[in-house]
Structure formats: C-alpha cells, structure tokens
Amino acid sequence: MSKSPAIERAVRIELLRARAALERESLAYDIAATTRSLSPGNLVKRWIPSVGRSNVTGLLWQGVSLARRYPVISSTVSAFLMKRGKKLGLLKLAGGAFLGWQAFRAWRHASDAASRDV
C-alpha cells in the first residue's frame, strides 16, 4: 500500500516545520545562556573568583593563566612596561627569572614523567 504523493508531501512539510521549530528553540536557549555567561558579574566571577578573599597568590596565578590563554594581554602589558626607561633593568631581570623558573618547572615535569616511565 503506497501513500499518495500529497500525503507524503504534507508529512514532509510538517517534519520540516517541527525541525525548524526545534532549531529556533535551541538557538533561543543558546543565546540566553550566552547572554547570562557574558554578563559583567559572571565575567568577573570567572576571571577573578577570589576577589572577595585575600588570596594574592591565587589572583596572581589567575593572571598568569589568563596571560597564557590570551598572549595579546601579556604582550600589551610588556610593551607598556618596557616604555618605562628607569625600570628596564629590573623588568628584564624579573622576566629572565620568570622564564628560568618556567624552564625549571618544565624540566622537572619532564624528569618526573621519565622517572615514572622507568
């Protein structure tokens, strides 16, 4: 028993309408979720969760992770700080110490991983 082409066409149209309605609802939900997540309060909570607490080291590490995720931030800050001529030597020393410390951490992580493999 084959269905008539008119019935098949009507069923197909209703399925397409249902799919379009679901896609519109999904889009509206995603837009609302994005709006909530991009509100200023949520952005502050996400980037600086310890503002209420006096956790300076946690706040510092949050800034380092943010700078790693978005390298434009670190390059902008370094360009701004390098314009200061008097503090140039101290900044170079601090930058070198930071890079050395990061290299030491990477070396230690690699040696720990190698010792676990043995």
Side-chain angles (χ1 to χ4, degrees), residues 7-117:
I7 294 175
E8 287 181 8
R9 184 172 184 263
V11 169
R12 180 177 164 87
I13 289 172
E14 285 302 315
L15 285 174
L16 290 172
R17 286 180 181 158
R19 177 186 279 174
L22 285 173
E23 288 177 359
R24 282 191 301 269
E25 185 178 335
S26 174
L27 181 64
Y29 176 79
D30 290 341
I31 288 172
T34 303
T35 302
R36 280 191 302 273
S37 70
L38 291 178
S39 69
N42 282 335
L43 289 175
V44 169
K45 286 179 187 175
R46 187 176 349 149
W47 287 343
I48 310 172
S50 60
V51 168
R53 295 176 275 158
S54 62
N55 188 2
V56 176
T57 57
L59 191 60
L60 180 66
W61 284 116
Q62 184 96 18
V64 169
S65 67
L66 189 66
R68 282 184 184 168
R69 185 180 301 164
Y70 303 107
V72 173
I73 293 172
S74 61
S75 65
T76 303
V77 169
S78 68
F80 177 73
L81 291 176
M82 289 302 167
K83 288 182 182 178
R84 315 246 187 232
K86 297 177 183 177
K87 298 179 183 178
L88 184 62
L90 182 61
L91 288 174
K92 284 184 179 179
L93 182 64
F98 180 72
L99 288 175
W101 180 68
Q102 289 292 331
F104 174 72
R105 281 186 58 208
W107 172 77
R108 188 174 60 188
H109 179 68
S111 65
D112 288 346
S115 66
R116 276 186 248 142
D117 291 341

